[in-house]
Amino acid sequence: MDFSSFSLAPAITAGITACGFQAPTPIQQQTLPAALAGQDVMGLAQTGTGKTAAFVLPILQRLLSGPKGRVRALVLAPTRELAEQIAVAARELGSKTGLRTVAVYGGVSKNSQLAQLRRGVEIIVACPGRLLDHLREGAIKLDGVEVLVMDEGDQMFDMGFLPDIRRIMRYLPAKRQNMLFSATMPADIRRLAGELLVDPQEVRIACDQPAATISQALYPVEAKQKTAMLLTLLAENAENPVRSALVFTRTKHGAKKLARRLNAAGHRASDLQGNMSQNKRQAALDGFRDGTFTILVATDIAARGLDVAKVSHVINYDMPNTAEAYTHRIGRTGRAQRQGAAFSLVLQEDQTLIRAIERGLGKSIERRQLEALVPCEPDQAAPPPRGRRPGSRPDSRPASRRPGTSARPRRQGRSQSASGPRAV
Ligand code: ADP
Ligand code: MG
């Protein structure tokens, strides 16, 4: 099957060609007919399967005819980076259509967004909070919206955007096309779909399975050896060198600290986390995309859904909270048929989660050990429970004289690392 079977306008076909897409992906094949016919759509597919074009193409096709210079399509996305990424995709796919897309999100000045809006725009891609600000100030009118898309629905829900989304709904006309896309389908999303969608076309594609192009491995480790283990993984892997790695940490502070340590060890690394200004976040992402940084150390929310074409490795420095989050994370590599590897540093206390992940996969993940670790300062004790001060100081003995610098996985009791607040 190719794109010609959808009777898209020539201007849109030209955009598809310019993007280098030859054939629709499965989610595109199965949602485009209904979406182009104006029907509501619920699309469930893992990350990297091409959901963006599945909603952008029908929007472009619809907006080619009808009034220009007013907002006729609204896409809601959970993070600034995702909003920006979707806006870029809409501009690229729509490059020959004359349709204009503006991304609206917080953390940057309202004025430049307002200036773009004043020049006239047909498509808005927005994060809920900043959009509501503009709506309350009367700077954006949504009474001409014909299509509403909620992208990354599960993450929107996790981030607590549902009340904001309900408020935004009040600014929209009741009669419109709705599309909801999500990587997973927890009960909350099913309920939201019930509220939002009318007689939707439901498409579900291998929802909980990571792409077959991703090879996965677990590295049992003790908390204090994680950094040494990571440095070793980054240094070794001759058969599959780490060209660009996305490393996940549990906390914003952890991301910042780890990026600093990697830089000190001679890597080109940046962090990407919610404490950074929007400009710094974008610079980190751009630097990772263009190869200035080979390592991006990120928290979940900062990184979910991001499309970076050439991530060779995803490394879970800290394991996520849920099996679903694991699937999301490792979906950042192996995208669009590229080979990728996903390594996880696992503590004894992660075993329950690992079992849940393996149940979901229907197979066990290979356990690997390293011969010897790159010596480095041991990791400081992980964050203590809320309200307590850290008790231990880093060991200042040289690595060679410290116990436990070998990579052999030794079991240890509950470490403190899971007890800190889960900030992202
Ligand atoms: P998702 O939203 O499902 O995580 P994206 O929409 O971000 O996935 O797409 C993942 C990557 O695949 C992007 O780089 C995108 O340009 C590319 N892509 C999308 N559709 C196609 C297609 N039909 N052919 C080739 N590449 C595609
Ligand atoms: Mg997406």
Side-chain angles (χ1 to χ4, degrees):
M1 183 188 242
D2 61 34
F3 282 102
S4 64
S5 54
F6 302 119
S7 321
L8 293 162
I12 297 175
T13 313
I16 293 172
T17 308
C19 285
F21 299 176
Q22 274 157 19
T25 65
I27 186 88
Q28 292 162 5
Q29 277 173 33
Q30 293 181 48
T31 54
L32 281 172
L36 287 164
Q39 216 186 316
D40 281 7
V41 166
M42 163 93 225
L44 275 166
Q46 67 200 70
T47 48
T49 50
K51 293 190 286 298
T52 317
F55 60 80
V56 165
L57 294 174
I59 288 176
L60 296 173
Q61 177 86 350
R62 176 194 279 263
L63 268 49
L64 267 181
S65 48
K68 297 284 154 18
R70 65 184 233 199
V71 182
R72 295 171 59 202
L74 173 65
V75 180
L76 295 176
T79 65
R80 300 153 184 181
E81 288 80 3
L82 273 172
E84 193 59 53
Q85 183 175 292
I86 294 164
V88 167
R91 287 184 200 120
E92 283 174 4
L93 287 166
S95 58
K96 305 286 189 289
T97 63
L99 293 164
R100 289 155 297 180
T101 303
V102 171
V104 168
Y105 47 79
V108 292
S109 106
K110 282 186 188 163
N111 287 339
S112 78
Q113 286 169 1
L114 289 173
Q116 289 182 69
L117 292 166
R118 261 184 243 114
R119 282 198 289 274
V121 51
E122 290 81 30
I123 304 166
I124 287 185
V125 186
C127 296
R130 174 60 67 89
L131 178 63
L132 266 179
D133 287 351
H134 284 304
L135 287 169
R136 286 182 179 130
E137 287 161 15
I140 293 182
K141 294 258 178 296
L142 297 180
D143 49 5
V145 166
E146 300 163 36
V147 192
L148 170 71
V149 177
M150 264 188 58
D151 194 22
E152 302 280 343
D154 47 2
Q155 190 182 359
M156 297 267 244
F157 199 89
D158 290 350
M159 289 175 71
F161 280 136
L162 202 54
D164 277 356
I165 289 167
R166 291 216 170 89
R167 282 179 207 117
I168 291 169
M169 295 304 142
R170 294 190 207 123
Y171 292 88
L172 298 173
K175 191 174 165 307
R176 53 170 202 260
Q177 182 182 19
N178 300 289
M179 297 188 246
L180 172 58
F181 288 86
S182 188
T184 59
M185 182 66 143
D188 298 324
I189 293 300
R190 182 148 293 286
R191 209 169 315 121
L192 180 63
E195 279 177 42
L196 193 70
L197 307 174
V198 183
D199 188 22
Q201 165 85 7
E202 268 195 46
V203 175
R204 189 178 190 129
I205 286 163
C207 195
D208 294 314
Q209 295 299 328
T213 48
I214 305 171
S215 72
Q216 302 171 60
L218 305 178
Y219 291 84
V221 67
E222 291 179 18
K224 64 176 188 293
Q225 293 185 326
K226 279 188 173 183
T227 305
M229 179 73 102
L230 176 63
L231 288 169
T232 310
L233 283 172
L234 292 171
E236 292 188 348
N237 273 292
E239 80 282 7
N240 182 13
V242 178
R243 290 180 309 273
S244 68
L246 186 53
V247 177
F248 284 97
T249 62
R250 194 166 48 85
T251 64
K252 295 185 270 199
H253 174 68
K256 183 174 172 185
K257 199 173 76 174
L258 185 58
R260 213 185 293 137
R261 291 189 67 167
L262 291 172
N263 279 311
H267 291 281
R268 286 176 287 129
S270 173
D271 48 337
L272 178 72
Q273 37 85 10
N275 279 347
M276 295 159 70
S277 71
Q278 186 53 32
N279 283 344
K280 287 218 170 108
R281 283 167 70 159
Q282 197 62 49
L285 197 56
D286 291 345
F288 187 53
R289 285 204 170 106
D290 70 22
T292 310
F293 305 117
T294 50
I295 304 169
L296 192 65
V297 187
T299 53
D300 270 312
I301 287 191
R304 216 159 107 179
L306 293 180
D307 176 47
V308 180
K310 288 179 226 130
V311 177
S312 68
H313 290 71
V314 168
I315 302 179
N316 291 311
Y317 181 86
D318 297 316
M319 288 300 279
N321 276 358
T322 64
E324 279 172 357
Y326 175 84
T327 305
H328 272 294
R329 285 184 179 184
I330 73 168
R332 307 293 95 226
T333 185
R335 289 167 86 77
Q337 270 87 57
R338 285 194 173 85
Q339 290 294 323
F343 297 153
S344 300
L345 310 191
V346 297
L347 303 172
Q348 179 64 23
E349 67 204 38
D350 295 322
Q351 288 311 315
T352 315
L353 173 68
I354 299 296
R355 275 195 294 279
I357 292 169
E358 293 185 327
R359 250 195 323 276
L361 293 171
K363 60 173 190 193
S364 61
I365 306 173
E366 183 189 345
R367 268 74 171 165
R368 286 193 201 151
Q369 298 180 8
L370 299 176
E371 285 304 308
L373 295 186
V374 169
C376 79
E377 284 299 299
D379 298 347
Q380 225 165 326
R386 226 183 272 264
R388 290 229 321 265
R389 291 178 59 78
S392 64
R393 314 198 115 249
D395 190 341
S396 56
R397 281 172 289 168
S400 55
R401 282 195 236 127
R402 281 196 309 268
T405 35
S406 92
R408 198 148 320 121
R410 285 186 304 151
R411 296 291 171 228
Q412 70 163 25
R414 288 195 59 77
S415 106
Q416 306 162 37
S417 69
S419 51
R422 188 181 164 77
V424 285

